[in-house]
Amino acid sequence: ILFDWSGTISDDRPPVYESHVRMCQYYGIPAEKTLEEWSANSYGIPRDYHKRGVTDSTEEIWDLYKKIFLEVLAQGIRPTIFPDSLEVLKNLKAKGKKLVVISSHPKKHLKEEADVYGLSAYFDEIIGSIPTNKATEITATYKRFGIHPDHTVYIGDMISDVLAAHEAGVRPIAVTRGYHSAEKLIPHKPFKLWANLLPAKDEL
């Protein structure tokens, strides 16, 4: 069972939105006025900035984002764990499932956050700093564990997560409490659509 992190296990929308506002200030482009407006329109880093005319490379945008995001965290705007995350991970681990995080967020931050939440022990791997399409890493992960793609799911909250799972040949499960709404996710044909992670206890 492969998980996205941001918007799936961790509710980090406040610090990510604040980082986005500061990114926009740096690039001299307008930012959405509310977290809700931005969340509805975001397609991820660096795509959001390239769509707005930023010509920096993917790597340059990511480097700037990591710097700003860590500054935001240091100033006290912190993510929080979704209430069901710990319960669900405990249940799945007790069933003997292999659990892996595959996220675009900086690996150092993911590991620190997982430690703070008390989640690190439930994951076989935490893979971060994936700057582009996650499909390659999803494929490499199920092959590394010797698990058939038909027996693998990727759980995420954004259209890009669903598309990456399809490309990797695994089943995408979309949760609607993160960055993208059900209306945005459904056209991309997730295998399942959940409001939260609680169905995983019975369905996986």
Side-chain angles (χ1 to χ4, degrees):
I1 302 172
L2 312 177
F3 294 89
D4 175 47
W5 186 263
S6 173
T8 302
I9 290 174
S10 167
D11 186 5
D12 61 359
R13 288 171 297 174
V16 172
Y17 171 65
E18 177 60 27
S19 300
H20 167 68
V21 171
R22 298 185 191 190
M23 292 279 287
C24 288
Q25 291 171 346
Y26 177 87
Y27 285 122
I29 55 179
E32 292 83 354
K33 294 182 179 179
T34 66
L35 186 155
E36 291 74 21
E37 180 187 357
W38 161 73
S39 182
N41 293 319
S42 175
Y43 285 88
I45 304 163
R47 185 178 174 189
D48 285 350
Y49 305 104
H50 284 154
K51 286 179 67 177
R52 298 175 192 219
V54 172
T55 57
D56 283 1
S57 69
T58 294
E59 292 74 19
E60 289 169 330
I61 292 173
W62 268 112
D63 286 345
L64 177 64
Y65 174 80
K66 290 174 188 176
K67 177 177 179 291
I68 290 176
F69 186 69
L70 292 175
E71 289 172 355
V72 168
L73 294 180
Q75 291 168 11
I77 305 175
R78 308 290 302 184
T80 57
I81 187 174
F82 282 114
D84 58 21
S85 296
L86 180 57
E87 175 188 354
V88 169
L89 291 172
K90 281 184 177 179
N91 180 276
L92 294 175
K93 195 65 177 178
K95 291 181 177 181
K97 304 292 186 180
K98 296 293 185 183
L99 308 178
V100 178
V101 171
I102 297 178
S103 171
S104 58
H105 276 257
K107 185 174 182 178
K108 178 177 181 291
H109 165 65
L110 288 175
K111 290 193 170 183
E112 289 174 352
E113 195 175 340
D115 286 343
V116 169
Y117 292 160
L119 303 183
S120 295
Y122 299 102
F123 292 111
D124 294 273
E125 289 187 29
I126 297 177
I127 302 168
S129 304
I130 307 299
T132 53
N133 191 339
K134 298 173 184 175
T136 300
E137 193 61 48
I138 291 171
T139 302
T141 300
Y142 70 67
K143 287 183 176 179
R144 188 162 60 252
F145 282 94
I147 297 175
H148 195 278
D150 288 349
H151 299 151
T152 305
V153 299
Y154 185 66
I155 305 174
D157 66 302
M158 295 185 71
I159 292 170
S160 58
D161 296 321
V162 176
L163 295 178
H166 279 309
E167 183 178 339
V170 306
R171 293 179 174 182
I173 296 176
V175 290
T176 60
R177 65 181 177 193
Y179 288 91
H180 285 166
S181 65
E183 290 74 20
K184 293 184 77 169
L185 292 162
I186 287 171
H188 301 280
K189 300 181 179 179
F191 173 63
K192 292 181 181 290
L193 190 73
W194 295 340
N196 52 51
L197 291 180
L198 288 174
K201 294 194 300 180
D202 300 317
E203 298 184 33
L204 297 179

